[in-house]
Each structure stands twice: as C-alpha cells, then as structure tokens.
Amino acid sequence: MSLVRPFLLLFCLILSAVAGPALAQSDAESLRPLVNELAKGKYAETEQQIGALAATGNPAAAPVLEALSGGDLYFRKSDDQVFIAEKQGKIFKLTDPLTMEAAGEAGRREVKKIKVNNKLRRVIRAALGSLTLMAPDPNVRKAAAEAIFKAKDPDSIEALDTALAAEEDSDVRQVMAQARAAAVLNSDLEESQKLDAVATLSDMGNRDALSLLIAAQSTSDGAVQAAAGQAVAKIEKSLATWDAAQNIWYGLSLGSVLLLAAIGLAITFGVMGVINMAHGEMVMIGAYTTFVVQELIRTSAPGLFEYSLFIALPLAFLASGSIGIAIERGVIRWLYGRPLETLLATWGISLILQQAVRSIFGPTNREVGNPDWMSGAFELGQMTITYNRMWIIVFAMLVFAGLMLVLKKTPFGLYTRAVTQNRRMAASMGIRTPWVDALTFGLGSGIAGIAGVALSQIDNVSPNLGQGYIIDSFMVVVFGGVGNLWGTLVGAMTLGVVNKFLEPYAGAVLGKIFVLVFIILFIQKRPRGLFALKGRAVEA
C-alpha cells in the first residue's frame, strides 16, 4: 500500500493539471452521489459503495478511498454529506474529498466517522489498484498490479483482464498477469484457469509465488493440488540454488571486509614480524576521519557530500599512516626481537588511542552517511545485491591491485620485499632497513585507515570499531601465509565464504569458533600458511 499511495497522488495531480478546473468540477459532481452513499455506515453497504467507486474508473475517487482507509472520512449528520475531517481541539476542520477545498468546520457531535475494518481495508487496496490499472504512467500501472497481487482480490480479475487487453509494456503486462494468477487462485473460477494461474506463478519462481502456491496446495484438490505441488518443488529447488549463490555473495562481501582490515597487517607482520595489536585502531582512525570530513562538508559545503568518501580516502591514509610511523619510530623499533613486549606495548597503545577518541568524540556511535551511489540495492535473479557491499568489494580489489603494483613495480616495493626475505643481506646491500620498517609500518597503517573509510559505510563508527576486526585479521594473515598478499586475498575470501555457510547451521559465534579450530589444525599441518614466502632468512 505504501508503494501505491505516492503514485496515486502523483497521477491525480497530473490529471487535474491537464484536464483543468472544469473537468475536475464535472468529475467531482459525477462522483459525489456515490461518495455520499458511504454515509450509510454499515460495513456491507460500505463495501458495495467502494466497489461502485472503483467501477467508475475515475481516478478522482482515489483520495476518497485513501481517506476512508486511513480513518479520516466523516459524514455530517445534518445532511449526510461526506468530508475528510481533521480534528483540531474540540472542532473538526472539513475538506471536500473530491475537490480538496476547505469546507468549513463542524463540532464533534455534528459529524460521525465512517468506520472500516480490516476486510474493508483489503477491499480498498484492491479498489485503489483497479483505479490505476489504466493510468498513462507505466510505473503507476505496475504499482497498481503489485497492490492487487498482494491483496489477491478475485473482484479485480475483470479489471485486470481489461487492462491486460490494452497493455503494451511487456514488464507491466507480466506483473499484471502475475496479479491475475494470484487473484484466480483465490477465486471460485474453473479448474483450467487455476491450472494456468499455477503455471504463471511457477514461472514467477520467487518466494511470493511460493507462498501462494503452498496455500493453493493446501486448499485445492485434484489436478490443481498436484500442479501446485510440482510447482512448489520446482521453486524450492530453484530457491535453494539462489540461496547458495546469495551465501557466496555474502561470503565474498565479508571476505572483502576482512581483506581490507588484514591487508595492512599482512605487510607489517610479514616485513617486521611485529604483532601489532593497535592495527584495529588504525581502522578506527580512518573511520573517524570520514566522520570529520562529512561533518565539515555538511556545515560548509553540502553540495560536496556525494564526494565525501573520495575526499576522506587520502586524508584517512595520511592520518593513520602518520600515526603508524610515529608508533614505529617511538616505540616498536626499540622492541624488535621481543615479540611479547611488542604485543603488550601495541596493546597499550590501542587502549590509549581508544580513550583519546572517546575523550574527543565521545563514547557513543557517530553517524557516517552513505552517498546516493552507495545507497539502495538491486535484484539479480532471486539475489539482493546492496550497492554499499558491491562497491566495497570493488574497492578492496582496487586496494589489493594498487598495493601489488607498489610492491612489484616501485623501488620501495623492491626494498620491502628484500627486507622481508633476508633482512641482513638487504642491509649489507645498502638498504636502510630501519626506514624501510618505518615506511612499511606507515603503509600498512595507512591502508588500515582507508579500510576504515569503507567500513564506516557498513558498521557503527565507535571507539571499539577496530576491536571487532583485529582477531579476524590475524587469522586471515596466518591462514593465507605471513607477508604474502595473494595468501591474504585467498584466506580472506575463503574464511568469509566458510563463515557465511556455517552461520545458518551453527550461528555466528559458533561458526567463528569452528573456523578458529580449523585454522589451528591447519597451521599444525602447514605452519607457514597457504602461500609461504621464500627466502633464506624466511626459511631459516
């Protein structure tokens, strides 16, 4: 119903603007006797009058039926004239339901509400649908057919037949045929028509069609029951395939999030062997950078909001990368070769960063908006693809490709790979390994920052944002192979898909436990992960 209302109102406004005041007045006068008949007040008579208004095919009746459904239609006791009434204190402000012009005021004892029940509301929905089946706008006709499909009102079959005979738009015609099939299955029509309706819904193949066919299977007999049973089996098999595809999509979506969170860690952990427990806070800093950018844009340049993420990306990289370099130069470089002390120090840094954010921004979640191009979703078969998840997958692949180019095609990447494979030999060849460590730590932290920009679109921006990803990030890095980006990619996607397939059966928490146990057993067999780095120092 919520889909039909805006189209109905738009259609009525367009019609009144085109036809002009004279035609509007003529339509109002022709409908007024039928509208005033609603004052009789009895449910059975009200239902008959709703049908009579719908039978006129006059879109001017739509606001009357809308007001009736919403409980805003009253009649004046003195002359049985029907109005839309709005209560204001002890009086009612009256509006003509056909011309929408003010019609004075009335005391609360001078008017009486025209009552409706749930049955009448269903009748009204079907009537509103039939009123707009012949509208000039195909979107309005499609919305009307969808409303009839939901109502399954057999009284709409005749109107649908008329509309189908005149319909030229193939998409709208398909929706009308499906609406007719739903109404036929809910009617007393002959068996052959119901068999055709079952075939139509079987071809439709979605969950709405499945629920209608299950109901038809339980209420019918003979050939209709058998055909409905076959259609139900066919749709359930198809939906099972689509559900598996949807789980794979969800898994890839989760994998892309894990990849963004873990790829920076793969660099720092692989090059320096540092267990950086503050990596999650780099993600958090990137998310808060996005929040700050959007706040400044909202107050200073609202027109730039659609580009806020593009502005936030380099700033988040610089903010997180600078903090990462400061941490490496100030703390971590004094603790190389002492993994326990490094873990405790970075854990303490993570607590300091969390508290600093709480002091500056507060402990509550902060709102980060989605640009229009990241909002909404679209249907692919029986799958629902959200734009924000889709763009995050694309973004994760772009970050991965960009990082691979940096490591394979630049002097800095060459130095980084040399230090990763054999630190002593790299130093003896003149590579300044301390600066490589600092810049690599900054690169990994900066990538975590831009991961925070992406995660701000799908998760709550709070001081605890990074804590939800640090353990998963370490699992991805260890499973894929320490320091190997291809291993990180494969590990993230594998763990994401496995998690989503386990969740329906084991739940989210138990599913993560199963994954953790699997990784522990896997590491016992392959300590270096899926893709082990090669090099003398690495293999030593």
Side-chain angles (χ1 to χ4, degrees):
M1 187 67 179
S2 60
L3 289 173
V4 179
R5 287 179 179 172
F7 289 123
L8 288 171
L9 295 176
L10 177 62
F11 176 59
C12 293
L13 287 172
I14 293 173
L15 183 66
S16 62
V18 173
L23 181 57
Q25 182 68 27
S26 173
D27 286 343
E29 291 306 318
S30 66
L31 288 177
R32 195 170 300 281
L34 294 175
V35 172
N36 289 336
E37 284 293 313
L38 293 170
K40 292 183 177 179
K42 295 181 180 179
Y43 289 140
E45 293 173 340
T46 302
E47 184 174 351
Q48 292 176 3
Q49 293 309 314
I50 292 170
L53 284 168
T56 65
N58 191 334
V64 180
L65 296 176
E66 284 281 350
L68 179 61
S69 178
D72 297 326
L73 211 60
Y74 289 70
F75 69 89
R76 192 162 52 197
K77 295 178 181 179
S78 60
D79 55 6
D80 287 341
Q81 293 289 309
V82 172
F83 300 94
I84 297 174
E86 180 184 358
K87 189 174 183 181
Q88 294 183 347
K90 295 183 178 181
I91 63 169
F92 284 88
K93 184 179 179 182
L94 304 181
T95 303
D96 190 303
L98 295 171
T99 64
M100 304 306 291
E101 296 176 354
E105 298 176 348
R108 60 183 180 181
R109 295 185 179 181
E110 298 176 26
V111 293
K112 186 176 181 180
K113 178 186 284 191
I114 302 173
K115 296 181 180 179
V116 293
N117 54 19
N118 288 335
K119 179 183 177 182
L120 284 179
R121 289 189 180 94
R122 287 193 293 270
V123 173
I124 292 170
R125 283 198 296 270
L128 286 168
S130 64
L131 274 173
T132 50
L133 285 173
M134 304 298 291
D137 188 343
N139 291 324
V140 177
R141 300 196 300 272
K142 186 176 180 180
E146 289 170 346
I148 294 175
F149 179 87
K150 293 176 182 178
K152 304 182 291 291
D153 184 10
D155 294 335
S156 303
I157 294 174
E158 184 178 349
L160 282 166
D161 288 338
T162 304
L164 278 166
E167 186 57 58
E168 297 179 355
D169 188 300
S170 59
D171 291 338
V172 177
R173 185 178 180 82
Q174 183 181 32
V175 177
M176 286 182 176
Q178 292 165 354
R180 187 184 187 281
V184 166
L185 283 183
N186 198 36
S187 71
D188 296 327
L189 292 177
E190 59 187 21
E191 186 178 87
S192 61
Q193 292 204 45
K194 289 192 174 184
L195 289 173
D196 291 340
V198 169
T200 300
L201 293 176
S202 178
D203 293 337
M204 186 179 177
N206 61 14
R207 286 178 172 79
D208 290 334
L210 180 62
S211 62
L212 289 174
L213 289 168
I214 290 174
Q217 186 182 14
S218 61
T219 58
S220 303
D221 51 21
V224 175
Q225 186 180 45
Q230 292 175 358
V232 166
K234 174 186 173 183
I235 293 176
E236 286 178 341
K237 183 178 179 180
S238 173
L239 289 178
T241 303
W242 281 110
D243 286 343
Q246 184 80 72
N247 278 334
I248 291 173
W249 168 256
Y250 287 150
L252 293 176
S253 175
L254 175 60
S256 67
V257 171
L258 294 178
L259 176 64
L260 284 172
I263 195 169
L265 189 64
I267 298 172
T268 56
F269 195 23
V271 173
M272 295 175 286
V274 172
I275 303 174
N276 180 19
M277 296 300 292
H279 185 77
E281 277 55 52
M282 301 298 108
V283 176
M284 174 197 69
I285 289 168
Y288 272 97
T289 302
T290 309
F291 165 72
V292 171
V293 168
Q294 287 197 352
E295 285 298 299
L296 290 174
I297 287 176
R298 284 190 181 102
T299 55
S300 304
L304 294 177
F305 185 81
E306 292 298 309
Y307 308 98
S308 59
L309 298 186
F310 297 104
I311 298 171
L313 282 172
L315 296 177
F317 181 87
L318 290 174
S320 297
S322 301
I323 293 173
I325 291 174
I327 292 172
E328 196 281 334
R329 290 286 84 192
V331 178
I332 292 176
R333 70 169 174 154
W334 309 105
L335 300 175
Y336 286 129
R338 296 155 65 182
L340 180 60
E341 286 89 338
T342 304
L343 185 149
L344 291 173
T346 54
W347 180 60
I349 291 170
S350 74
L351 296 179
I352 292 171
L353 291 174
Q354 286 183 45
Q355 190 56 49
V357 168
R358 285 191 183 92
S359 300
I360 297 171
F361 298 101
T364 57
N365 295 341
R366 290 293 184 171
E367 179 187 0
V368 173
N370 289 346
D372 289 342
W373 52 273
M374 286 192 74
S375 303
F378 65 93
E379 299 291 329
L380 180 63
Q382 301 301 317
M383 292 172 55
T384 300
I385 308 295
T386 56
Y387 285 111
N388 58 355
R389 293 282 183 174
M390 182 187 72
W391 285 117
I392 286 175
I393 291 177
V394 173
F395 177 68
M397 294 301 105
L398 290 175
V399 170
F400 178 82
L403 192 56
M404 289 295 294
L405 286 174
V406 169
L407 293 179
K408 297 292 185 182
K409 301 296 182 180
T410 65
F412 171 71
L414 179 63
Y415 298 156
T416 301
R417 287 184 285 122
V419 173
T420 302
Q421 293 178 16
N422 194 320
R423 178 178 291 272
R424 290 185 179 180
M425 182 62 71
S428 67
M429 296 296 292
I431 296 175
R432 299 177 64 184
T433 56
W435 279 108
V436 171
D437 290 338
L439 293 177
T440 303
F441 201 90
L443 176 64
S445 299
I447 292 173
I450 62 177
V453 176
L455 295 180
S456 70
Q457 300 299 295
I458 59 173
D459 207 342
N460 294 323
V461 177
S462 70
N464 299 320
L465 171 64
Q467 295 299 303
Y469 296 98
I470 185 65
I471 301 301
D472 288 338
S473 298
F474 274 110
M475 286 198 299
V476 167
V477 171
V478 172
F479 176 62
V482 174
N484 191 304
L485 294 186
W486 284 108
T488 303
L489 173 64
V490 174
M493 295 303 172
T494 302
L495 294 183
V497 172
V498 169
N499 260 312
K500 287 302 176 182
F501 272 98
L502 285 176
E503 280 182 9
Y505 306 101
V509 176
L510 195 56
K512 285 184 178 292
I513 293 174
F514 285 150
V515 171
L516 178 60
V517 171
F518 165 75
I519 291 176
I520 292 172
L521 295 176
F522 179 82
I523 295 301
Q524 296 298 313
K525 189 71 175 175
R526 291 180 64 93
R528 295 177 186 167
L530 283 172
F531 300 92
L533 285 175
K534 296 186 180 298
R536 293 178 184 175
V538 171
E539 294 171 354

